[in-house]
Amino acid sequence: MNTIYNFSAGPAMIPQDVLNQAKQELQNWQNLGFSIMEISHRSKEFIEVAEQAEQDLRDLLHIPDFYKVLFCQGGARGQFSAVPINLLGNLKTADYIDSGYWSKSAFIEAKKYCIPNSISIKEQINGKTSLLSMSQWDVNKKSAYIHYCPNETIDGLSIYEEPKFKDKIIIGDFSSCILSRSINIENYDLIYAGAQKNIGPAGITIIIIRENLIGYTSKISPSILDYKIISEYNSMFNTPPTFAWYLSGLVFKWLKRKGGLKKIEELNQIKSHLLYEKIDKSNFYINTIDDKNRSKMNVVFNLVDPNLNEIFLKESFESGLIALKGHSIIGGMRASIYNAMPLEGIQSLIKFMSYFENRYG
Ligand SMILES: *Cc1c(COP(=O)(O)O)cnc(C)c1O
């Protein structure tokens, strides 16, 4: 049997080392005779796991002390609501940068709480999709914050520039690119990310927030979305998804063993470069995104002849290359190549693409 490589966009691949460790300790965690899923989140054993995971995340991203790290539920979509609830204050509008499906979805949810300002930054230049650079973003003086999505998981579009807006609160939906490269946390006020793309299991959402922004909800805000309450209870106001928290912690340790974000960033650069190079060199596959905005996590591409899509998906699947189908709203193909995808997976995909092209091209 071929080695299986899973290109799912999310829930996505988890490092084999991490799964092996979880398997080994599943039924007898820390010699307690039962699993980590079966102990209280308030036990000293679990609190140690939770605190260690936070510390490892802080180390990986160099998170300063004046930022809080919260572990929540409700996914990134929960944050689409939590962000306006916590950060609008008395203001009536907020800027939502529109770069694709997910940033647009955040905007639509925000309409329940304010009159958000949607700022489209997509443009077509010589048949390529490109995103305006930050200096060209038409932000509004009266907005409470600027929300944007540095990696559009479905569209395969990325923003690598770091935000530097004077006197503006900057919020980033990092769901599909957190921990894929090093960033300067201080350029952001709030970062959130669902774990199921580039960390591990679904069910936990990570929030990194500048401490002084906590505490501005109104009386009717749901407690479970209130950063102040979550923070006061050390992310245990309600029962947290303990297994997902533990497994995320194992992934953070794995990242540290791999050499941290500098190393992972180099590897992600190599992996995505190989794949885009393969696409660009052929007349059979195509990607029409401007180089500077190409995602290193979600590589979207089309077959020039869409009649071959079904057979491409069937044969790639049979070769052990799983979940290459693009999202239904975009069509075509998408290879999600998060941190857990080894270089061999990319090489295997490229080999298959060449074989397929030779056969049907
Ligand atoms: C997957 C994804 C979401 C939605 O995440 P949920 O955890 O399902 O709510 C939001 N934003 C981005 C960028 C995503 O990739």
Side-chain angles (χ1 to χ4, degrees), residues 80-179:
F80 292 176
S81 318
V83 164
I85 285 174
N86 282 273
L87 297 178
L88 274 173
N90 294 323
L91 296 174
K92 308 234 167 350
T93 187
D95 289 329
Y96 279 78
I97 305 301
D98 177 1
S99 55
Y101 181 86
W102 286 116
S103 56
K104 184 91 181 176
S105 304
F107 162 76
I108 291 167
E109 183 67 14
K111 282 191 195 177
K112 292 182 181 169
Y113 305 98
C114 64
I115 304 171
N117 180 29
S118 177
I119 301 168
S120 175
I121 59 164
K122 251 196 219 181
E123 51 179 7
Q124 297 293 330
I125 303 175
N126 303 328
K128 295 222 165 192
T129 306
S130 182
L131 298 176
L132 290 177
S133 73
M134 285 178 175
S135 61
Q136 294 170 287
W137 291 4
D138 189 17
V139 298
N140 181 338
K141 277 201 179 63
K142 296 199 172 103
S143 66
Y145 54 81
I146 300 170
H147 176 282
Y148 84 107
C149 179
N151 188 67
E152 288 282 6
T153 323
I154 291 176
D155 309 71
L157 285 162
S158 251
I159 298 166
Y160 296 101
E161 209 179 339
E162 295 238 338
K164 290 198 182 89
F165 292 89
K166 217 167 169 279
D167 304 323
K168 276 286 172 201
I169 293 175
I170 305 288
I171 298 165
D173 173 1
F174 272 72
S175 292
S176 51
C177 61
I178 191 165
L179 299 170

